[in-house]
């Protein structure tokens, strides 16, 4: 699979809505992770699995590979020590707080995210007549980051906690007619330890922004959006749940596919003039960039304290030269 042709696009999908303007804790960012999250099965009312189906033109020895990607959340909690610690002690009792200022700098509780990938090595279609099941697990963790003052005291610390996540990928293929196969990929969240208490509890054990990358060797994917006339009837029998596959990469080869939790056309493209991710592919880069530049110094400090990705976005945008901003204006396609 040629990841160079697909990764930037897949990352834009992965981080769609990760944090929205004004890029700090606010009403707009109160409920995050709204695209493609697969929750524990016990969390009623939300999906715990998705399904991707597509057609492949090829033969029994045509090989297909898959990569399932998602965000594994990390809860970053600010813990305050009163009085401040003189030496770091992980066992010290502190008080969880939303935020704290140390020597004028703001430190904020937040949910961060780590990118997880589970790859299925290339396998021939003839070997997928019986469903192939792959399970995966990522362990939980707990880490501390003492926050020191200029005087050398420790008035607070970040406590970062990840909960374990467990899931499975089921892959199967069935022949429909000569040199035409239907490929099915089911991704399931298999976390199950106790009754979920709330959405935040469930999200920490979820596969967030889950999507699937697909590659084929010795064959071609058929466009679900615009299949050839002779395959329209078969394409109409797709059953995609939670994801929609589109062709990406080289149009002449049709050997890469992205199954995304948001609606995309075949061969979507990132704006070449965009200086970087704004986590909102439906917005206009120029408008968001100008809005960021109007933030007050206090608001910019809040953005920088919220998330490392938000801090990088702020730094990149505020350092844009006038020529680069002009490049964002008036683009027509």
């Amino acid at each position: 699979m040629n990841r160079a042709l697909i990764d930037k696009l897949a990352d834009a999908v992965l981080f769609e809505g990760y944090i929205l303007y004004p890029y700090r804790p606010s009403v707009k960012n109160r409920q995050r992770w709204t695209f493609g999250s697969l929750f524990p099965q016990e969390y009623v009312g939300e999906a715990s699995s998705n399904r991707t189906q597509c057609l492949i033109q090829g033969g029994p020895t045509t090989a297909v590979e898959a990569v399932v990607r998602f965000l594994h959340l990390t809860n970053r909690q600010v813990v305050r020590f009163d009085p401040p610690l003189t030496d770091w002690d992980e066992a010290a009792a502190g008080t969880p707080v939303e935020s704290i200022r140390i020597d004028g700098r703001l430190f904020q509780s937040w949910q961060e995210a780590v990118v997880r990938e589970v790859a299925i090595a290339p396998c021939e279609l003839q070997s997928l007549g019986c469903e192939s099941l792959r399970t995966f697990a990522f362990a939980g963790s707990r880490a501390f980051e003492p926050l020191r003052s200029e005087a050398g005291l420790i008035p607070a610390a970040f406590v970062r906690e990840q909960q374990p996540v467990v899931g499975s990928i089921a892959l199967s293929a069935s022949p429909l007619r000569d040199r035409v196969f239907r490929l099915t990929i089911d991704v399931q969240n298999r976390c199950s330890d106790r009754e979920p208490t709330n959405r935040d509890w469930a999200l920490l054990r979820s596969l967030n922004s889950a999507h699937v990358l697909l590659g084929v060797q010795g064959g071609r994917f058929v466009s679900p959006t615009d299949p050839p006339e002779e395959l329209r009837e078969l394409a109409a029998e797709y059953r995609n749940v939670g994801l929609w596959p589109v062709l990406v990469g080289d149009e002449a080869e049709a050997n890469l596919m992205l199954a995304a939790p948001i609606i995309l056309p075949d061969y979507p493209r990132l704006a070449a003039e965009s200086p970087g991710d704004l986590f909102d592919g439906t917005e206009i880069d120029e408008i968001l960039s100008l809005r960021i530049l109007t933030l007050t110094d206090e608001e910019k400090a809040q953005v920088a304290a919220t998330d490392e990705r938000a801090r990088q976005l702020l730094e990149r945008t505020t350092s844009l030269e006038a020529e680069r901003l002009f490049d964002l204006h008036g683009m027509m396609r």
Side-chain angles (χ1 to χ4, degrees):
M1 187 185 302
N2 189 343
R3 296 292 296 268
L5 292 175
I6 197 172
D7 272 3
K8 285 188 177 180
L9 181 63
D11 281 347
V13 169
L14 183 65
F15 287 102
E16 175 71 13
Y18 175 82
I19 179 172
L20 299 173
Y21 178 87
Y23 302 112
R24 60 187 189 271
S26 64
V27 172
K28 195 171 182 181
N29 284 304
R30 187 166 294 166
Q31 180 163 307
R32 300 162 70 204
W33 324 114
T34 54
F35 293 104
S37 292
L38 302 183
F39 288 77
Q41 296 178 53
E42 290 81 0
Y43 190 70
V44 178
E46 298 284 358
S48 62
S49 64
N50 61 38
R51 164 169 287 192
T52 303
Q53 284 193 329
C54 58
L55 296 183
I56 295 177
Q57 292 179 302
T61 59
T62 295
V64 64
E65 59 183 315
V67 179
V68 174
R69 304 173 82 234
F70 61 91
L71 295 177
H72 186 182
L73 301 193
T74 302
N75 192 56
R76 187 188 75 202
Q77 178 67 57
V78 176
V79 176
R80 184 184 65 210
F81 302 113
D82 192 13
L85 303 179
T86 55
D87 294 299
W88 174 239
D89 180 5
E90 291 187 1
T95 303
V97 294
E98 284 299 310
S99 63
I100 191 172
R101 286 189 181 274
I102 302 175
D103 297 326
R105 183 181 173 188
L106 180 66
F107 296 89
Q108 176 74 46
S109 296
W110 192 244
Q111 282 185 340
E112 303 170 336
V114 175
V115 180
R116 301 296 195 192
E117 290 193 1
V118 184
I120 304 296
C123 46
E124 295 181 349
L125 293 177
Q126 63 186 357
S127 69
L128 295 174
C130 296
E131 183 178 79
S132 173
L133 184 67
R134 161 85 179 274
T135 59
F136 60 87
F138 293 95
S141 63
R142 181 178 174 89
F144 300 88
E145 180 186 347
L147 305 175
R148 298 181 184 272
S149 68
E150 293 176 357
L153 299 177
I154 306 173
F158 279 143
V159 182
R160 289 182 171 87
E161 288 190 276
Q162 275 191 333
Q163 299 300 321
V165 294
V166 182
S168 66
I169 306 167
L171 194 65
S172 62
S174 54
L176 301 180
R177 61 172 67 163
D178 184 41
R179 297 190 61 78
V180 178
F181 293 77
R182 175 180 291 118
L183 180 70
T184 302
I185 307 98
D186 291 304
V187 182
Q188 173 82 54
N189 184 332
R190 295 188 176 272
C191 290
S192 179
D193 53 4
R194 62 186 176 88
E195 190 70 22
T197 55
N198 54 45
R199 188 174 187 270
D200 282 339
W201 183 97
L203 280 169
L204 291 170
R205 295 156 177 82
S206 296
L207 319 181
N208 297 285
S209 299
H211 59 280
V212 181
L213 312 182
L214 294 169
V216 66
Q217 302 169 14
R220 295 172 60 88
F221 287 114
V222 174
S223 168
T225 305
D226 187 23
E229 186 62 38
E230 66 273 16
L231 296 177
R232 286 189 181 279
E233 185 176 341
L234 292 179
E237 298 174 2
Y238 287 139
R239 185 172 179 268
N240 288 287
V241 180
L243 298 178
W244 181 250
V246 296
L247 295 169
V248 295
D250 189 330
E251 296 188 31
E253 296 185 355
N255 61 355
L256 291 174
M257 186 165 272
L258 167 63
I262 56 177
I263 300 299
L264 296 171
D266 280 336
Y267 301 107
R269 295 286 187 268
L270 297 177
E273 69 276 7
S274 177
D277 196 356
L278 292 163
F279 308 114
D280 191 345
T282 64
E283 258 288 9
I284 300 172
D285 284 29
E286 181 188 26
I287 293 174
L288 279 179
S289 297
L290 291 174
R291 285 176 176 172
I292 292 168
L293 294 176
T294 65
L295 295 175
T296 66
D297 289 343
E298 173 59 25
E299 289 170 335
K300 290 176 181 176
Q302 293 174 10
V303 173
T306 299
D307 186 274
E308 176 60 19
R309 291 185 174 90
R311 187 196 65 77
Q312 292 176 4
L313 181 156
L314 176 67
E315 184 177 280
R316 182 182 69 239
T317 305
T318 54
S319 64
L320 282 176
E321 297 177 353
E323 291 79 4
R324 292 301 307 277
L325 279 172
F326 185 78
D327 288 342
L328 301 178
H329 179 71
M331 295 300 298
M332 295 186 66
R333 292 179 176 85

